[in-house]
Amino acid sequence: MNVSLPAELKQYVDERTSCGSYGSNSEYLRELIRHDQARENLREMLLEGARSPIAARADKPFFADMRQRLGIGEVADGGDEQAQSATESRGHVE
């Protein structure tokens, strides 16, 4: 595969590889493609999640269980209330 780039983009790629972050222009382009694939995968997962039905109510017990499973303590800044308020404002309260 050959890729034609305008001079300014070629210069940018050359600068990225010459600073030592990447061993070659090809390595840099492979990394860009991997990042693009990951971005597209994330986008698809977000869209799938947005299309799916609500699985659980994001209320205080939900976040308490989440913190317990993750092994973290209580949130002091009112994070649960903010999340619950946001959920309620979208009409997802039972």
Side-chain angles (χ1 to χ4, degrees):
M1 169 196 281
N2 291 320
V3 178
S4 298
L5 298 174
E8 62 193 37
L9 291 179
K10 183 181 180 327
Q11 180 181 352
Y12 180 79
V13 171
D14 289 342
E15 288 170 1
R16 298 292 294 159
T17 57
S18 68
C19 73
S21 298
Y22 301 93
S24 67
N25 292 351
S26 293
E27 184 180 332
Y28 178 68
L29 291 174
R30 283 190 296 271
E31 186 68 16
L32 287 177
I33 292 167
R34 285 186 202 102
H35 281 283
D36 187 55
Q37 288 174 325
R39 182 195 57 79
E40 185 61 29
N41 188 37
L42 175 60
R43 180 180 185 278
E44 289 302 319
M45 288 189 296
L46 290 170
L47 289 172
E48 181 181 332
R51 289 188 294 263
S52 68
I54 297 170
R57 184 171 178 214
D59 56 7
K60 283 187 177 194
F62 172 85
F63 286 103
D65 179 58
M66 182 79 65
R67 280 192 297 276
Q68 183 179 7
R69 287 190 293 151
L70 294 173
I72 57 177
E74 291 293 318
V75 177
D77 67 356
D80 287 351
E81 289 80 10
Q82 291 171 355
Q84 185 171 356
S85 175
T87 301
E88 290 171 356
S89 71
R90 291 192 306 261
H92 296 296
V93 175
E94 296 175 2

